[in-house]
């Protein structure tokens, strides 16, 4: 199971400052000395046991529809060792269907595919027009601009609820909040952010405060978060998803619109997503996502970010269409990036191959790949994803019951006592009488998103699905 620790959560990316002199294959690069069981040592252990292909796979996040696992995404994980998934599009099927999907995804993280390292399962749950997961079990969220009018206390509390809904559906990483500042005078003419009211406000101070409240609330329930789109899309007049050569001629390295990102970094956000626009007053020769000046210079050095740098979509975005799929991945990592996001799973073979070939031929790039892999693994360890996992054997053993009790927040005894039964009945939405029977089984199966089978008590099929689901939770 994934033994999440709020203590570890604050230790994000001690290895990110390591100067890596090793190679991707063979002996893993050195990491700072740390006590056994820290994110750094867990990441090092995972790195050491992985093959080159499995290490490179950790640097990719592939899209699959939130309505079900695509064959292309399954192939990306099983054949190309991709270590992360984003649920895309829209699902109105509710939390049970997503729980079934995330449990299925977790089972794909086999020893052969990812060396047993769990996938980061992500989605875009910003609110308003950008809320991928909807239906029973998910609150309908307002736009960020509306959230920005709420009190900080109300927003933090609401975000905690929304984050808990994602965690209980098996999602590990929310690609939110948007920390771009769209000025009031031009917001309606800002296609990627202002037009859709994705900004928390029209000034950096409001975005910092209210975006920070959203971030704080969702982080409080152990959900990993992503601050985006660095260094900001609030001043552009076209959308990088649909237009090439999008430029920002306003933002500088000292602009006030950098402040929300600076605050998020200072408060330990584990992931920052890069913009694909060109910032003419910072680096006018290339998109920020490919710019060492922006990624390594501004974000890592000036702001001191030591976590995972993620790209915006490099699969379908018009802003990067001039480069081949493989070149996009190589340029991003070479600039200092870590996690290549591609919604389009068909780009994975070319991207993975390009990174592998460049790493084999270029020692400096090989070192960047190694450092990036360690940053991703350390972030996963800090979020609890590298702990011991449950065996999917269908047996309601003491270990499975202990995991269940940990998830329910009751005393861990390893025995299925009435307190545990009542807590589970409450969680799955049936009468909490402490007696586990047919009604409880039906409610649990519906909660897990599997077909009901009329079972009167525990059966191996349901326990196996419960074990798979608990693995995504703990």
């Amino acid at each position: 199971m994934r033994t999440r620790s709020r203590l570890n959560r604050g230790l994000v990316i001690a290895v990110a400052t390591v100067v890596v002199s090793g190679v991707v294959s063979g002996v893993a690069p050195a990491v700072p000395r740390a006590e056994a069981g820290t994110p750094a040592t867990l990441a090092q252990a995972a790195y050491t046991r992985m093959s080159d292909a499995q290490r490179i796979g950790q640097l990719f996040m592939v899209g699959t529809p939130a309505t079900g696992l695509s064959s292309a995404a399954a192939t990306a994980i099983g054949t190309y060792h991709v270590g992360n998934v984003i649920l895309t599009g829209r699902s109105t099927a509710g939390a049970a269907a997503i729980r079934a999907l995330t449990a299925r995804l977790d089972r794909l993280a086999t020893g052969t595919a990812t060396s047993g390292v769990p996938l980061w399962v992500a989605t875009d749950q910003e609110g308003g027009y950008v809320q991928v997961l909807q239906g029973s079990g998910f609150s309908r969220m307002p736009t960020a601009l509306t959230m920005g009018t709420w009190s900080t206390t109300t927003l933090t509390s609401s975000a905690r609820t929304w984050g808990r809904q994602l965690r209980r559906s098996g999602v590990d990483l929310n690609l939110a909040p948007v920390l771009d500042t769209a000025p009031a005078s031009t917001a309606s003419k800002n296609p990627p952010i202002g037009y859709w009211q994705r900004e928390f406000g029209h000034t950096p101070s409001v975005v910092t405060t209210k975006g920070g409240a959203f971030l704080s609330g969702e982080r409080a329930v152990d959900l990993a978060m992503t601050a985006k789109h660095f260094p900001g899309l609030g001043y552009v007049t076209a959308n990088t998803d649909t237009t090439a050569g999008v430029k920002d001629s306003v933002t500088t390295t000292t602009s006030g619109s950098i402040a929300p990102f600076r605050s998020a970094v200072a408060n330990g956000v584990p992931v920052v997503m890069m913009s694909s626009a060109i910032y003419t007053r910072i680096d006018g020769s290339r998109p920020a996502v490919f710019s060492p000046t922006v990624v390594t210079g501004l974000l890592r050095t000036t702001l001191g970010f030591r976590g995972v740098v993620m790209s915006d979509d490099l699969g379908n975005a018009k802003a990067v269409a001039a480069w081949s799929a493989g070149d996009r991945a190589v340029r991003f990592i070479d600039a200092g990036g870590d996690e290549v996001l591609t919604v389009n799973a068909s780009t994975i073979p070319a991207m993975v191959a390009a990174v592998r070939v460049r790493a084999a031929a270029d020692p400096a790039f090989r070192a960047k790949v190694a450092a990036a892999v360690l940053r991703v693994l350390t972030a996963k360890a800090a979020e609890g994803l590298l702990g011991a996992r449950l065996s999917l054997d269908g047996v309601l053993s003491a270990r499975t019951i202990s995991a269940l009790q940990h998830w329910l927040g009751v005393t861990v005894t390893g025995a299925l006592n009435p307190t545990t039964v009542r807590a589970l009945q409450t969680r799955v939405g049936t009468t909490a009488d402490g007696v586990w029977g047919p009604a409880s089984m039906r409610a649990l199966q519906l909660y897990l998103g599997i077909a009901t089978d009329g079972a009167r008590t525990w059966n191996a099929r349901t326990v196996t699905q419960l074990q798979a689901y608990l693995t995504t939770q703990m």
Side-chain angles (χ1 to χ4, degrees):
M1 64 180 172
R2 302 179 183 183
T3 6
R4 290 181 175 263
S5 165
R6 297 192 179 199
L7 204 58
N8 284 348
R9 193 179 67 204
L11 301 176
V12 176
I13 327 306
V15 301
T17 56
V18 176
V19 176
V20 182
S21 58
V23 298
V24 179
S25 58
V27 178
V31 298
R33 294 181 64 182
E35 295 178 3
T38 66
T41 56
L42 290 170
Q44 181 73 76
Y47 185 102
T48 300
R49 72 172 185 262
M50 298 175 104
S51 67
D52 283 357
Q54 290 168 338
R55 291 168 185 164
I56 289 173
Q58 289 296 310
L59 303 184
F60 292 88
M61 176 174 284
V62 67
T64 191
T67 52
L69 176 64
S70 70
S71 60
T75 298
I77 298 165
T79 302
Y80 296 96
H81 311 285
V82 167
N84 311 282
V85 174
I86 177 173
L87 308 182
T88 63
R90 295 292 185 272
S91 169
T92 58
I98 302 303
R99 278 189 285 270
L101 174 58
T102 55
R104 183 181 178 190
L105 284 167
D106 196 78
R107 290 196 291 272
L108 297 180
T110 63
T112 301
T114 67
S115 189
V117 173
L119 310 173
W120 242 345
V121 179
T123 198
D124 283 301
Q125 201 82 338
E126 299 173 15
Y129 299 99
V130 185
Q131 183 178 342
V132 172
L133 306 182
Q134 302 174 31
S136 177
F138 297 112
S139 302
R140 197 66 181 94
M141 301 165 63
T143 66
L145 194 59
T146 296
M147 294 180 205
T149 66
W150 295 357
S151 71
T152 301
T153 301
T154 298
L155 179 52
T156 302
S157 176
S158 297
R160 189 178 296 114
T161 297
W162 301 329
R164 186 177 296 111
Q165 291 169 348
L166 287 178
R167 284 287 298 116
R168 288 183 179 174
S169 70
V171 172
D172 305 297
L173 172 63
N174 188 10
L175 304 192
V178 167
L179 295 182
D180 309 300
T181 302
S185 60
T186 57
S188 63
K189 299 177 182 178
N190 173 247
I193 308 298
Y195 181 82
W196 302 106
Q197 300 181 8
R198 297 170 72 192
E199 74 276 33
F200 284 91
H202 300 306
T203 65
S205 61
V206 173
V207 174
T208 298
T209 300
K210 300 307 171 70
F214 183 97
L215 180 62
S216 175
E218 295 211 345
R219 287 294 283 156
V221 294
D222 292 331
L223 184 68
M225 305 290 289
T226 303
K228 63 185 185 184
H229 309 79
F230 188 80
L233 284 171
Y235 292 97
V236 301
T237 57
N239 193 332
T240 55
D241 288 339
T242 57
T243 307
V246 177
K247 294 182 179 180
D248 173 331
S249 58
V250 176
T251 302
T252 69
T253 58
T254 59
S255 290
S257 56
I258 302 292
F261 295 99
R262 188 186 303 275
S263 177
V265 168
N267 284 289
V269 69
V271 183
V272 172
M273 178 184 286
M274 297 303 303
S275 159
S276 295
I278 298 168
Y279 295 81
T280 61
R281 300 182 67 183
I282 303 175
D283 181 353
S285 64
R286 53 204 156 186
V289 72
F290 298 152
S291 171
T293 303
V294 180
V295 178
T296 301
L298 181 55
L299 179 57
R300 290 215 188 276
T301 303
T302 303
L303 267 64
F305 182 59
R306 299 192 297 168
V308 172
V309 176
M310 178 182 287
S311 73
D312 204 345
D313 179 33
L314 296 184
N316 294 328
K318 294 296 184 184
V320 296
W323 293 268
S324 69
D327 199 24
R328 294 170 213 163
V330 168
R331 284 175 179 267
F332 172 63
I333 294 169
D334 201 34
D338 305 307
E339 192 76 38
V340 177
L341 170 62
T342 176
V343 171
N344 184 352
S346 70
T347 63
I348 284 292
M351 287 181 165
V352 169
V355 171
R356 185 182 66 246
V357 170
R358 176 70 179 273
D362 181 346
F365 183 76
R366 191 158 64 240
K368 289 180 180 181
V369 168
V373 174
L374 276 169
R375 278 191 288 266
V376 172
L377 291 174
T378 305
K380 286 187 173 184
E383 297 299 321
L385 270 65
L386 298 190
R389 309 180 77 195
L390 289 174
S391 298
L392 306 185
D393 56 12
V395 177
L396 199 62
S397 62
R399 187 156 180 255
T400 296
I401 294 170
S402 294
L404 175 64
Q405 290 168 328
H406 182 83
W407 173 61
L408 292 170
V410 300
T411 302
V412 177
T413 65
L416 194 65
N417 52 38
T419 299
T420 304
V421 170
R422 281 192 292 270
L424 181 56
Q425 288 170 326
T426 299
R427 182 66 58 86
V428 301
T430 190
T431 304
D433 58 9
V435 178
W436 195 260
S440 298
M441 280 298 295
R442 175 180 171 78
L444 176 59
Q445 289 170 340
L446 290 172
Y447 184 92
L448 294 173
I450 60 177
T452 58
D453 57 14
R456 301 188 62 80
T457 188
W458 297 96
N459 58 22
R461 168 179 170 269
T462 307
V463 173
T464 299
Q465 184 69 8
L466 177 62
Q467 290 168 328
Y469 172 59
L470 288 174
T471 297
T472 73
Q473 293 294 295
M474 309 304 289

